[in-house]
Short mmCIF file of all heavy atoms in Angstrom, two decimals:
data_model
loop_
_atom_site.label_atom_id
_atom_site.label_comp_id
_atom_site.label_asym_id
_atom_site.label_seq_id
_atom_site.Cartn_x
_atom_site.Cartn_y
_atom_site.Cartn_z
N THR M 16 13.07 -13.99 27.71
CA THR M 16 13.17 -13.13 28.83
C THR M 16 14.71 -12.81 29.03
O THR M 16 15.40 -13.71 29.45
CB THR M 16 12.65 -13.76 30.15
OG1 THR M 16 11.20 -13.99 29.88
CG2 THR M 16 12.78 -12.86 31.26
N ASN M 17 15.06 -11.67 28.67
CA ASN M 17 16.49 -11.29 28.58
C ASN M 17 17.02 -10.98 29.97
O ASN M 17 18.14 -11.37 30.32
CB ASN M 17 16.75 -10.07 27.64
CG ASN M 17 16.19 -10.39 26.24
OD1 ASN M 17 16.34 -11.46 25.68
ND2 ASN M 17 15.38 -9.43 25.74
N ILE M 18 16.27 -10.20 30.79
CA ILE M 18 16.65 -9.87 32.11
C ILE M 18 15.46 -9.88 32.97
O ILE M 18 14.36 -9.54 32.66
CB ILE M 18 17.24 -8.40 32.19
CG1 ILE M 18 18.48 -8.23 31.29
CG2 ILE M 18 17.52 -7.98 33.60
CD1 ILE M 18 19.03 -6.85 31.22
N LYS M 19 15.62 -10.53 34.17
CA LYS M 19 14.59 -10.64 35.09
C LYS M 19 15.14 -10.47 36.52
O LYS M 19 15.92 -11.35 37.00
CB LYS M 19 13.76 -11.92 34.94
CG LYS M 19 12.46 -12.00 35.85
CD LYS M 19 11.67 -13.27 35.60
CE LYS M 19 10.42 -13.20 36.46
NZ LYS M 19 9.64 -14.46 36.20
N SER M 20 14.70 -9.52 37.21
CA SER M 20 15.09 -9.24 38.66
C SER M 20 13.86 -8.92 39.45
O SER M 20 12.77 -8.92 39.00
CB SER M 20 16.19 -8.22 38.72
OG SER M 20 15.70 -6.96 38.28
N LYS M 21 14.12 -8.47 40.66
CA LYS M 21 13.01 -8.16 41.59
C LYS M 21 12.19 -6.95 41.00
O LYS M 21 11.03 -6.97 41.06
CB LYS M 21 13.58 -7.97 42.99
CG LYS M 21 12.46 -7.51 43.96
CD LYS M 21 12.97 -7.20 45.32
CE LYS M 21 11.92 -6.81 46.33
NZ LYS M 21 12.38 -6.59 47.63
N ASP M 22 12.89 -5.96 40.52
CA ASP M 22 12.28 -4.74 40.11
C ASP M 22 12.27 -4.48 38.65
O ASP M 22 11.51 -3.62 38.13
CB ASP M 22 12.89 -3.60 40.85
CG ASP M 22 12.71 -3.57 42.35
OD1 ASP M 22 11.68 -4.02 42.80
OD2 ASP M 22 13.57 -3.14 43.06
N PHE M 23 13.14 -5.21 37.87
CA PHE M 23 13.28 -4.86 36.44
C PHE M 23 13.19 -6.11 35.64
O PHE M 23 13.69 -7.17 36.04
CB PHE M 23 14.62 -4.20 36.22
CG PHE M 23 14.89 -3.90 34.77
CD1 PHE M 23 14.33 -2.79 34.20
CD2 PHE M 23 15.73 -4.74 34.09
CE1 PHE M 23 14.51 -2.51 32.89
CE2 PHE M 23 15.99 -4.43 32.68
CZ PHE M 23 15.39 -3.33 32.14
N SER M 24 12.59 -6.05 34.44
CA SER M 24 12.48 -7.15 33.48
C SER M 24 12.57 -6.61 32.06
O SER M 24 12.01 -5.48 31.80
CB SER M 24 11.25 -7.98 33.69
OG SER M 24 10.09 -7.26 33.37
N TRP M 25 13.06 -7.44 31.20
CA TRP M 25 13.17 -7.08 29.74
C TRP M 25 12.79 -8.32 28.96
O TRP M 25 13.48 -9.34 29.03
CB TRP M 25 14.58 -6.49 29.37
CG TRP M 25 14.79 -6.41 27.95
CD1 TRP M 25 13.88 -6.13 26.95
CD2 TRP M 25 16.05 -6.52 27.26
NE1 TRP M 25 14.49 -6.08 25.69
CE2 TRP M 25 15.84 -6.28 25.84
CE3 TRP M 25 17.36 -6.65 27.72
CZ2 TRP M 25 16.88 -6.27 24.94
CZ3 TRP M 25 18.41 -6.69 26.76
CH2 TRP M 25 18.15 -6.52 25.42
N LYS M 26 11.75 -8.23 28.12
CA LYS M 26 11.28 -9.35 27.29
C LYS M 26 11.29 -8.94 25.81
O LYS M 26 11.02 -7.81 25.46
CB LYS M 26 9.94 -9.83 27.68
CG LYS M 26 9.89 -10.37 29.13
CD LYS M 26 8.42 -10.77 29.51
CE LYS M 26 8.40 -11.38 30.89
NZ LYS M 26 6.96 -11.80 31.21
N THR M 27 11.54 -9.93 25.00
CA THR M 27 11.60 -9.74 23.53
C THR M 27 10.73 -10.76 22.84
O THR M 27 10.76 -11.92 23.21
CB THR M 27 13.08 -9.81 22.98
OG1 THR M 27 13.87 -8.77 23.64
CG2 THR M 27 13.12 -9.65 21.44
N SER M 28 10.06 -10.31 21.84
CA SER M 28 9.25 -11.24 20.98
C SER M 28 9.48 -11.01 19.52
O SER M 28 9.55 -9.88 19.08
CB SER M 28 7.75 -10.96 21.38
OG SER M 28 6.86 -11.70 20.46
N PHE M 29 9.65 -12.13 18.80
CA PHE M 29 9.85 -12.08 17.34
C PHE M 29 8.83 -13.06 16.72
O PHE M 29 8.79 -14.18 17.08
CB PHE M 29 11.24 -12.41 17.03
CG PHE M 29 11.47 -12.49 15.54
CD1 PHE M 29 11.65 -11.32 14.80
CD2 PHE M 29 11.60 -13.74 14.86
CE1 PHE M 29 11.87 -11.42 13.41
CE2 PHE M 29 11.85 -13.79 13.54
CZ PHE M 29 11.98 -12.63 12.79
N ILE M 30 8.10 -12.53 15.70
CA ILE M 30 7.16 -13.38 14.91
C ILE M 30 7.44 -13.23 13.42
O ILE M 30 7.66 -12.13 12.90
CB ILE M 30 5.66 -12.91 15.27
CG1 ILE M 30 5.36 -13.11 16.77
CG2 ILE M 30 4.69 -13.65 14.41
CD1 ILE M 30 4.00 -12.58 17.14
N TYR M 31 7.42 -14.32 12.78
CA TYR M 31 7.62 -14.45 11.36
C TYR M 31 6.63 -15.41 10.80
O TYR M 31 6.49 -16.51 11.22
CB TYR M 31 9.03 -14.87 10.98
CG TYR M 31 9.18 -15.20 9.52
CD1 TYR M 31 9.35 -14.22 8.57
CD2 TYR M 31 9.28 -16.53 9.12
CE1 TYR M 31 9.47 -14.55 7.24
CE2 TYR M 31 9.46 -16.85 7.79
CZ TYR M 31 9.54 -15.88 6.76
OH TYR M 31 9.68 -16.09 5.52
N SER M 32 5.97 -15.01 9.66
CA SER M 32 5.04 -15.88 8.97
C SER M 32 5.22 -15.77 7.48
O SER M 32 5.50 -14.67 7.02
CB SER M 32 3.60 -15.58 9.35
OG SER M 32 3.25 -14.32 8.86
N ARG M 33 5.13 -16.85 6.82
CA ARG M 33 5.25 -16.92 5.36
C ARG M 33 4.07 -17.73 4.77
O ARG M 33 3.83 -18.85 5.30
CB ARG M 33 6.58 -17.54 4.95
CG ARG M 33 6.77 -17.67 3.40
CD ARG M 33 8.16 -18.10 3.03
NE ARG M 33 8.30 -18.39 1.67
CZ ARG M 33 8.70 -17.34 0.80
NH1 ARG M 33 8.91 -16.18 1.32
NH2 ARG M 33 8.83 -17.60 -0.43
N SER M 34 3.37 -17.18 3.88
CA SER M 34 2.27 -17.87 3.32
C SER M 34 2.14 -17.61 1.75
O SER M 34 2.28 -16.51 1.31
CB SER M 34 0.99 -17.40 3.90
OG SER M 34 -0.26 -18.03 3.39
N LYS M 35 1.94 -18.68 1.01
CA LYS M 35 1.74 -18.52 -0.41
C LYS M 35 0.58 -19.35 -0.89
O LYS M 35 0.22 -20.36 -0.27
CB LYS M 35 3.05 -19.07 -1.25
CG LYS M 35 4.16 -18.10 -1.12
CD LYS M 35 5.22 -18.48 -2.19
CE LYS M 35 6.35 -17.42 -2.26
NZ LYS M 35 7.30 -17.71 -3.35
N ASN M 36 -0.09 -18.88 -1.91
CA ASN M 36 -1.26 -19.54 -2.45
C ASN M 36 -1.23 -19.53 -4.02
O ASN M 36 -0.60 -18.69 -4.57
CB ASN M 36 -2.53 -18.93 -1.94
CG ASN M 36 -2.76 -17.55 -2.39
OD1 ASN M 36 -3.21 -17.34 -3.54
ND2 ASN M 36 -2.49 -16.55 -1.59
N GLU M 37 -1.98 -20.45 -4.51
CA GLU M 37 -2.03 -20.55 -5.98
C GLU M 37 -3.41 -21.03 -6.38
O GLU M 37 -3.88 -22.07 -5.84
CB GLU M 37 -0.97 -21.51 -6.60
CG GLU M 37 -0.98 -21.68 -8.14
CD GLU M 37 0.00 -22.64 -8.62
OE1 GLU M 37 0.90 -23.06 -7.87
OE2 GLU M 37 -0.10 -23.08 -9.75
N ILE M 38 -3.99 -20.37 -7.39
CA ILE M 38 -5.31 -20.81 -7.85
C ILE M 38 -5.07 -21.89 -8.91
O ILE M 38 -4.39 -21.63 -9.93
CB ILE M 38 -6.03 -19.61 -8.53
CG1 ILE M 38 -6.33 -18.58 -7.49
CG2 ILE M 38 -7.36 -20.08 -9.22
CD1 ILE M 38 -6.83 -17.23 -8.09
N THR M 39 -5.45 -23.07 -8.63
CA THR M 39 -5.24 -24.26 -9.48
C THR M 39 -6.32 -24.47 -10.55
O THR M 39 -6.15 -25.24 -11.52
CB THR M 39 -5.02 -25.56 -8.59
OG1 THR M 39 -6.19 -25.72 -7.82
CG2 THR M 39 -3.82 -25.35 -7.76
N LYS M 40 -7.57 -23.92 -10.22
CA LYS M 40 -8.60 -24.14 -11.17
C LYS M 40 -9.55 -22.93 -11.01
O LYS M 40 -9.96 -22.51 -9.91
CB LYS M 40 -9.41 -25.41 -10.95
CG LYS M 40 -10.57 -25.66 -11.93
CD LYS M 40 -11.14 -27.02 -11.66
CE LYS M 40 -12.30 -27.29 -12.62
NZ LYS M 40 -13.04 -28.59 -12.36
N LEU M 41 -9.96 -22.30 -12.16
CA LEU M 41 -10.88 -21.08 -12.11
C LEU M 41 -11.63 -21.03 -13.31
O LEU M 41 -11.14 -21.08 -14.45
CB LEU M 41 -9.95 -19.85 -12.02
CG LEU M 41 -10.69 -18.55 -11.85
CD1 LEU M 41 -11.43 -18.49 -10.56
CD2 LEU M 41 -9.72 -17.41 -11.96
N LEU M 42 -12.92 -20.98 -13.16
CA LEU M 42 -13.95 -20.95 -14.27
C LEU M 42 -14.43 -19.52 -14.46
O LEU M 42 -15.47 -19.08 -14.01
CB LEU M 42 -15.09 -21.89 -13.98
CG LEU M 42 -14.75 -23.31 -13.70
CD1 LEU M 42 -15.99 -24.15 -13.37
CD2 LEU M 42 -13.98 -23.88 -14.92
N THR M 43 -13.64 -18.69 -15.14
CA THR M 43 -14.03 -17.35 -15.38
C THR M 43 -13.62 -16.99 -16.87
O THR M 43 -12.75 -17.60 -17.41
CB THR M 43 -13.35 -16.31 -14.48
OG1 THR M 43 -11.94 -16.45 -14.58
CG2 THR M 43 -13.72 -16.55 -13.05
N ASN M 44 -14.21 -15.93 -17.40
CA ASN M 44 -13.81 -15.36 -18.71
C ASN M 44 -13.74 -13.86 -18.49
O ASN M 44 -14.51 -13.09 -18.95
CB ASN M 44 -14.91 -15.74 -19.70
CG ASN M 44 -14.43 -15.35 -21.13
OD1 ASN M 44 -13.26 -15.13 -21.42
ND2 ASN M 44 -15.44 -15.18 -22.05
N PRO M 45 -12.62 -13.42 -17.92
CA PRO M 45 -12.51 -11.96 -17.53
C PRO M 45 -12.22 -11.00 -18.71
O PRO M 45 -11.71 -11.48 -19.72
CB PRO M 45 -11.34 -11.96 -16.49
CG PRO M 45 -10.49 -13.07 -16.97
CD PRO M 45 -11.42 -14.14 -17.48
N THR M 46 -12.41 -9.76 -18.51
CA THR M 46 -12.05 -8.71 -19.43
C THR M 46 -10.78 -8.00 -18.96
O THR M 46 -10.36 -8.29 -17.78
CB THR M 46 -13.10 -7.64 -19.52
OG1 THR M 46 -13.33 -6.99 -18.26
CG2 THR M 46 -14.48 -8.28 -19.97
N VAL M 47 -10.23 -7.12 -19.75
CA VAL M 47 -9.09 -6.39 -19.34
C VAL M 47 -9.47 -5.54 -18.12
O VAL M 47 -8.59 -5.44 -17.21
CB VAL M 47 -8.55 -5.45 -20.47
CG1 VAL M 47 -7.60 -4.44 -20.02
CG2 VAL M 47 -8.05 -6.28 -21.67
#
Side-chain angles (χ1 to χ4, degrees):
T16 300
N17 307 314
I18 298 176
K19 186 175 182 180
S20 64
K21 179 181 178 180
D22 295 327
F23 178 78
S24 68
W25 169 28
K26 297 181 179 179
T27 297
S28 174
F29 176 76
I30 297 175
Y31 168 75
S32 66
R33 178 177 178 84
S34 177
K35 283 193 172 185
N36 65 80
E37 179 184 346
I38 299 171
T39 57
K40 184 179 180 181
L41 184 65
L42 304 178
T43 60
N44 188 21
T46 63
V47 170

